[in-house]
Amino acid sequence: MVRKTREEALKTKQNIMDVAKQLFCEKGYEKTNLSDIADVAGVTRGAIYWYFQNKDDLFIELCKDMIDTDTNLFHLVEAINRDNLSPLQSLREWLYRIDESLRCKDNILFIKIINNVLWGNHGSTRIKKMLRDINSDFNKNYLLLIKDAIKKKELPENVDPVKASNFLCSVITGYIMQYVDGAQSDIVDYNKPLVDMFIEQLPKFIF
């Protein structure tokens, strides 16, 4: 009986998080309240407070849950086997999987939710800091791989790693947003040529 109760509790919690994810995406973080989530999830506000202290806690756990999936780009970079690949090969293999990530509905929702909070200037200071930290940690991957590529002479030693990583971060972010916003829905179909073209520009960022 106890085991069944735990399973039901986990199922209820997951249902709350699934509904919150959809509403945060559709209405935005600021305009979604716990009553909205409770109504759609078919639970009481009290049930939500059983699992989460407040909307911020629900949002934070939801983001962490969405990052920790096999197809999320935040997770994919950690899955690259760098022992068998050079830094540039690792970078290339990671970015080759953008199309896989963008074809997953949950990842699209995740990107939209983050953008709503960061660029719409919504959410508490705690929420904004968490998302900025996530974004910063993610972007550091570009810099670390490019620095390693310079050390291993895959890139010229006079390449500015900061400028090169900023470039790569900007074009990849722009590419992703073109798809997420629906401006260019077929862009993922030629993901690999785009990634190759972006990486070929890195030796040009000399100082």
Side-chain angles (χ1 to χ4, degrees):
M1 182 64 71
V2 173
R3 182 178 179 184
K4 183 177 180 181
T5 301
R6 287 179 179 174
E7 289 174 352
E8 289 175 347
L10 288 173
K11 186 176 180 180
T12 299
K13 181 180 180 181
Q14 188 60 53
N15 179 45
I16 291 170
M17 291 175 68
D18 288 342
V19 169
K21 175 171 43 182
Q22 194 64 44
L23 291 181
F24 285 147
C25 182
E26 292 175 357
K27 300 176 64 175
Y29 177 82
E30 202 71 20
K31 293 182 180 179
T32 300
N33 57 52
L34 294 182
S35 293
D36 297 329
I37 296 170
D39 288 344
V40 178
V43 300
T44 64
R45 279 175 59 97
I48 294 180
Y49 284 119
W50 178 261
Y51 300 102
F52 310 99
Q53 291 185 4
N54 48 45
K55 188 169 75 167
D56 275 10
D57 281 347
L58 170 54
F59 184 85
I60 288 170
E61 184 159 350
L62 178 62
C63 284
K64 290 178 178 177
D65 185 65
M66 294 179 80
I67 287 173
D68 191 26
T69 62
D70 290 341
T71 60
N72 192 291
L73 274 178
F74 290 78
H75 180 82
L76 286 175
V77 69
E78 298 173 359
I80 297 296
N81 186 354
R82 300 185 190 179
D83 292 337
N84 298 324
L85 297 172
S86 71
L88 274 192
Q89 287 174 328
S90 297
L91 179 61
R92 197 181 300 269
E93 287 301 314
W94 171 40
L95 298 180
Y96 275 170
R97 300 184 70 181
I98 289 176
D99 60 335
E100 174 187 345
S101 182
L102 293 181
R103 293 181 197 278
C104 175
K105 180 183 176 182
D106 271 3
N107 292 333
I108 299 296
L109 294 178
F110 178 67
I111 294 168
K112 288 182 175 179
I113 290 168
I114 287 181
N115 285 343
N116 172 263
V117 173
L118 288 181
W119 311 126
N121 198 28
H122 301 309
S124 65
T125 301
R126 178 187 176 201
I127 289 292
K128 291 176 185 174
K129 182 181 184 307
M130 180 199 72
L131 292 182
R132 289 194 184 104
D133 287 346
I134 289 173
N135 201 44
S136 176
D137 288 344
F138 178 73
N139 291 339
K140 284 177 184 176
N141 290 302
Y142 296 114
L143 181 60
L144 292 173
L145 287 168
I146 289 172
K147 282 184 173 180
D148 283 348
I150 294 171
K151 286 180 183 177
K152 296 189 176 180
K153 303 188 184 304
E154 285 189 285
L155 289 173
E157 62 180 10
N158 60 343
V159 165
D160 185 324
V162 174
K163 290 179 180 177
S165 64
N166 285 344
F167 159 76
L168 199 54
C169 176
S170 297
V171 293
I172 293 296
T173 300
Y175 157 30
I176 289 173
M177 293 315 303
Q178 282 284 98
Y179 182 81
V180 171
D181 291 341
Q184 200 168 351
S185 59
D186 65 340
I187 197 168
V188 294
D189 294 333
Y190 42 96
N191 175 61
K192 287 187 178 182
L194 279 175
V195 169
D196 289 340
M197 181 177 68
F198 296 153
I199 290 179
E200 286 168 7
Q201 304 306 308
L202 298 181
K204 299 178 180 180
F205 289 87
I206 59 175
F207 58 86

